[in-house]
Amino acid sequence: SRLANSVVENNNDEEEEEDDEDDEDGERGNAAKVRRGDSAEHSQDDGEDGNVAGDMLEIEDDDFGRSGPAYERFFQDLHTTKGSKTSDNTLSRLPPLSQAECRAILSKVSIKHKEELELLETLHRRQFGQWYFELSCGFNLVFYGYGSKRRLLNSLATKLSAKAPAVIVNGYFPTLNFKQTLEKIITEILGFGDTTGSAADLASLINGYFESKGRDIDRMYIVVHNIDGPCLRKHQAALAVLASCKNIHLMASIDHIEAPLIWDSSTTTRFNWAWHDLTTFEPYTVETSYENYGTETTEIGPRGVLHVLASLTENAKNIFRILAEYQITESVMDGDAAGAQKKTGAKAPEMPYNGYFAACRDQFLVSSEMTFRSQLTEFRDHKVIQSRHATDGTEFVHIPLDAATLGTILEGMD
């Protein structure tokens, strides 16, 4: 009986322990349920808050009275054209000014810091003696710095011309023909009659004269304004030949920030530069007044012609060359830069259309009139070539540029 009672007590104890474990598990489950319920309530509250915030964003207005979320307003403003503040006023709408009108307007502009500029010029003029000493020592001078250096260098050339001939070359001139400049030096200063050859050949001829003994002219000074100008950039080798002569003294100015890059090491050695800062703060009135020299507002300038020709084929360039050489020949034969047919109202010598087509066909540049006329149409679109019809129906074509400008363009093409 004692054994039975102990067994019953053990069973009761095990049942009580199991009941206690079940109660603990139940409490844990209830606690988990409570936690899940709380989290659900929190998430529901967050959703309600999000909806409220979303409703607030939809009805929110900005400072300009525009409604909607910010990201929607961004794309609305990006693609809308209403209320554009961009003006349609462009420079092409301004009336074109002639050189006389431009200079008259610029002359009315008052000079600022006049006393300081005069003091700066006085300091530069005190260096004339030093510059002359450097030239006599065999150096050539190159001047850099902000402002036009034309007036000071011309004053220096005027003083040096009392000792020897002085030549001034305006490199900023858009239609400068450097070969013609060398021809004038040979004929008017050296007194030679033969000026055949390229610019390099003429430079070598001048160099040989001043290197020879028993010459009539001992030395010569050359002042080149803007030696980095567009018309002189391809003649740096010829200029270096002149500068390498000890009896030819070269003074040049540069204004382009990358001007020294046009000279390689050998060319720089031949120039033998002595660098000087010649900052003047003077306006580039004269240098920039020739940008559209020799052309009307409806015509294309020499730089524009070269730009158009650079994008054309060789046949198209040769078609242009035939007409340009014809106009130059006619101008020389007639003795008038305006051309032989200026009496008829043309601005340049004109060539009959049939003769122009025949000349191009003889050079095997075109095979049919349709090809020739399509090429003329392209030239007309770029305002390189103009045409007119006479009273009898004959068509004439011409390039609206003078002979000197055409010669510069042909030299640039070569």
Side-chain angles (χ1 to χ4, degrees):
S1 63
R2 292 178 180 174
L3 179 61
N5 291 333
S6 63
V7 171
V8 171
E9 290 177 357
N10 292 333
N11 291 336
N12 292 334
D13 293 338
E14 291 178 356
E15 290 177 358
E16 290 177 359
E17 291 177 357
E18 291 178 355
D19 293 339
D20 293 339
E21 291 178 356
D22 292 340
D23 293 339
E24 291 178 358
D25 294 338
E27 291 177 357
R28 293 192 191 97
N30 293 332
K33 291 179 180 179
V34 170
R35 294 191 195 97
R36 286 194 295 269
D38 294 341
S39 62
E41 291 177 0
H42 286 304
S43 62
Q44 184 177 0
D45 294 339
D46 294 340
E48 292 177 357
D49 294 340
N51 294 333
V52 172
D55 296 338
M56 292 178 64
L57 286 176
E58 291 179 358
I59 63 176
E60 183 182 0
D61 293 343
D62 61 0
D63 297 337
F64 300 96
R66 297 170 297 186
S67 61
Y71 63 87
E72 290 185 1
R73 294 199 304 268
F74 171 77
F75 290 103
Q76 291 175 1
D77 297 341
L78 184 63
H79 297 286
T80 185
T81 58
K82 182 178 179 180
S84 177
K85 297 182 180 180
T86 303
S87 174
D88 58 351
N89 295 328
T90 58
L91 293 176
S92 60
R93 291 195 173 188
L94 295 176
L97 296 178
S98 63
Q99 287 191 17
E101 293 174 340
C102 183
R103 291 179 180 178
I105 294 174
L106 292 177
S107 63
K108 298 179 182 179
V109 179
S110 59
I111 302 176
K112 298 181 180 180
H113 310 288
K114 185 176 181 180
E115 295 180 358
E116 290 79 359
L117 293 178
E118 291 178 352
L119 175 60
L120 183 60
E121 181 179 351
T122 302
L123 296 176
H124 285 318
R125 289 182 178 274
R126 291 179 181 176
Q127 300 296 320
F128 281 5
Q130 173 66 26
W131 297 342
Y132 176 74
F133 172 74
E134 293 177 0
L135 291 174
S136 61
C137 290
F139 292 96
N140 297 301
L141 308 181
V142 60
F143 300 94
Y144 63 94
Y146 180 79
S148 175
K149 296 164 276 292
R150 175 179 172 275
R151 191 164 57 86
L152 271 175
L153 292 183
N154 285 345
S155 299
L156 178 61
T158 302
K159 288 190 174 184
L160 295 177
S161 62
K163 306 177 183 296
V167 179
I168 298 177
V169 181
N170 296 322
Y172 54 80
F173 199 69
T175 59
L176 172 67
N177 193 325
F178 185 65
K179 183 174 180 295
Q180 291 183 357
T181 303
L182 297 179
E183 291 175 353
K184 289 184 178 181
I185 293 176
I186 293 174
T187 56
E188 299 181 9
I189 296 180
L190 305 185
F192 294 165
D194 186 12
T195 58
T196 58
S198 62
D201 298 333
L202 298 180
S204 299
L205 177 62
I206 298 173
N207 182 300
Y209 173 82
F210 283 98
E211 290 286 356
S212 62
K213 298 180 180 179
R215 58 185 181 277
D216 297 333
I217 302 174
D218 183 51
R219 61 185 67 250
M220 179 176 65
Y221 297 96
I222 300 178
V223 176
V224 182
H225 298 296
N226 294 98
I227 195 173
D228 54 343
C231 294
L232 291 178
R233 291 175 186 174
K234 62 180 179 180
H235 295 299
Q236 298 300 315
L239 288 168
V241 171
L242 297 176
S244 62
C245 181
K246 62 181 180 179
N247 296 316
I248 298 178
H249 307 289
L250 181 64
M251 294 159 284
S253 65
I254 58 174
D255 286 294
H256 199 286
I257 192 172
E258 297 179 351
L261 297 179
I262 62 178
W263 304 313
D264 54 20
S265 58
S266 60
T267 305
T268 304
T269 303
R270 303 189 74 175
F271 273 121
N272 195 23
W273 290 125
W275 294 75
H276 290 280
D277 185 359
L278 193 60
T279 300
T280 62
F281 296 104
E282 293 186 6
Y284 295 92
T285 304
V286 178
E287 289 87 343
T288 58
S289 62
Y290 297 98
E291 289 295 328
N292 297 319
Y293 174 79
T295 60
E296 300 294 336
T297 56
T298 58
E299 298 173 355
I300 190 171
R303 295 184 184 178
V305 173
L306 288 174
H307 181 72
V308 171
L309 293 175
S311 61
L312 299 179
T313 61
E314 288 298 324
N315 281 354
K317 294 178 182 179
N318 291 327
I319 291 174
F320 173 85
R321 183 188 296 275
I322 289 177
L323 182 57
E325 291 177 349
Y326 173 83
Q327 291 187 197
I328 293 175
T329 304
E330 290 295 317
S331 298
V332 172
M333 292 177 61
D334 189 73
D336 188 351
Q341 300 196 19
K342 187 173 181 180
K343 297 180 181 180
T344 62
K347 299 179 182 179
E350 297 175 322
M351 187 175 187
Y353 172 83
N354 294 331
Y356 191 19
F357 170 64
C360 294
R361 186 179 55 188
D362 294 341
Q363 296 292 331
F364 300 102
L365 301 177
V366 293
S367 57
S368 63
E369 186 177 359
M370 182 180 298
T371 306
F372 177 69
R373 189 166 287 277
S374 64
Q375 187 61 61
L376 281 185
T377 302
E378 184 174 2
F379 281 128
R380 290 194 189 99
D381 293 341
H382 291 95
K383 300 180 181 179
V384 176
I385 292 179
Q386 297 181 359
S387 62
R388 72 175 185 89
H389 290 273
T391 55
D392 58 352
T394 306
E395 184 178 1
F396 293 91
V397 295
H398 71 282
I399 304 171
L401 296 172
D402 55 27
T405 305
L406 289 177
T408 303
I409 293 175
L410 293 181
E411 185 180 356
M413 292 172 59
D414 296 335

